[in-house]
Amino acid sequence: MVGTIVNTLCIVAGSCIGSVAKRAIRPQYQGALYNAMGLAALVLGINAVVTHLPDSQYPVLFIVSLAIGALAGTILDLAGKFNRVMKRFSKSNLAEGLSTGILLYCVGTLSMVGPIMSALYGDNTYLYTNATLDLVTSMVLASTYGIGMALAAPVLFLSQGSIYLLTTMAGNVISDELMCEVSIVGGVLIASSGLAILQIKDCKTLNMLPALLVPPIFFIIKSFIG
């Protein structure tokens, strides 16, 4: 839970800094920080794929997972729905700012895969990266919506904490083979997020999130057949 606690505290800290600094946070500074975080996400994603792909027992599974996940997410229009919600909450008041912040903090590959890696392997790398990104984002949001943006921190803690707890409880039935495949898919999605943050290519990563469900479903079916 250390990674989740750090992530939560970063949102609180970012909200405090942003509410105090306000206009001192210039666009060029924001851009520099986002570039750094985009590069970090890209490198972490590539590293996850390169590290786990040689150990994969089903090297084609991540391709199938991405294809099925992207298709399912596109049919459900996850990215489109997310963008419409974001536009709906674009006016400057606390309730709308909180809605925007909660979506940004809680809906993302780093925020979802991070607690799983932390629970199973004690690896908080993804969570620390997400914490840094959320620090920057919360500073920017708080400069507009005020210190009340810190109220989004408990929501993130409950979201990531729930994933951490469920993963810990199910740890005995989650095999290393399954986590290897999930890590590969997650790595690709994290790299995709990095490309989007760097504004190189918007792969609509939200539409591909269902890909994370394909490896578990595959292993469940395999256990019944085998």
Side-chain angles (χ1 to χ4, degrees):
M1 288 290 288
V2 175
T4 294
I5 293 172
V6 170
N7 201 161
T8 303
L9 292 176
C10 278
I11 293 176
V12 174
S15 298
C16 294
I17 295 171
S19 63
V20 172
K22 292 190 181 293
R23 299 190 181 185
I25 305 177
R26 299 178 181 178
Q28 59 265 38
Y29 300 155
Q30 298 173 17
L33 291 171
Y34 277 123
N35 284 340
M37 292 307 98
L39 287 171
L42 182 61
V43 170
L44 284 172
I46 294 173
N47 179 69
V49 175
V50 172
T51 300
H52 293 94
L53 192 56
D55 298 325
S56 173
Q57 301 297 314
Y58 310 94
V60 181
L61 180 58
F62 85 97
I63 301 175
V64 176
S65 299
L66 291 171
I68 294 176
L71 182 60
T74 302
I75 292 173
L76 294 172
D77 192 24
L78 298 180
K81 290 176 180 175
F82 178 81
N83 290 331
R84 285 192 289 274
V85 170
M86 292 286 287
K87 289 179 181 178
R88 183 181 304 172
F89 298 118
S90 60
K91 296 180 181 179
S92 179
N93 64 60
L94 180 56
E96 293 165 346
L98 280 173
S99 300
T100 301
I102 289 169
L103 286 171
L104 289 173
Y105 302 147
C106 299
V107 181
T109 308
L110 286 167
S111 191
M112 294 179 179
V113 177
I116 295 175
M117 299 300 291
S118 179
L120 291 179
Y121 304 115
D123 183 357
N124 292 305
T125 304
Y126 291 166
L127 287 176
Y128 291 153
T129 303
N130 195 60
T132 309
L133 182 59
D134 286 349
L135 175 66
V136 177
T137 304
S138 60
M139 288 169 58
V140 175
L141 289 174
S143 68
T144 301
Y145 297 106
I147 187 63
M149 285 303 302
L151 294 174
V155 179
L156 174 99
F157 181 82
L158 291 175
S159 173
Q160 291 188 359
S162 298
I163 296 174
Y164 182 94
L165 181 60
L166 289 172
T167 303
T168 301
M169 294 173 62
N172 292 331
V173 298
I174 299 178
S175 64
D176 291 338
E177 291 80 6
L178 171 57
M179 277 313 303
C180 178
E181 304 303 331
V182 171
S183 296
I184 295 171
V185 175
V188 174
L189 297 186
I190 291 170
S192 174
S193 297
L195 292 175
I197 295 171
L198 292 169
Q199 297 183 351
I200 295 175
K201 172 68 176 178
D202 183 5
C203 300
K204 299 188 183 303
T205 310
L206 281 176
N207 280 347
M208 293 192 290
L209 281 179
L212 290 169
L213 299 175
V214 177
I217 293 173
F218 170 79
F219 275 83
I220 290 173
I221 295 174
K222 179 177 174 291
S223 66
F224 281 112
I225 295 177

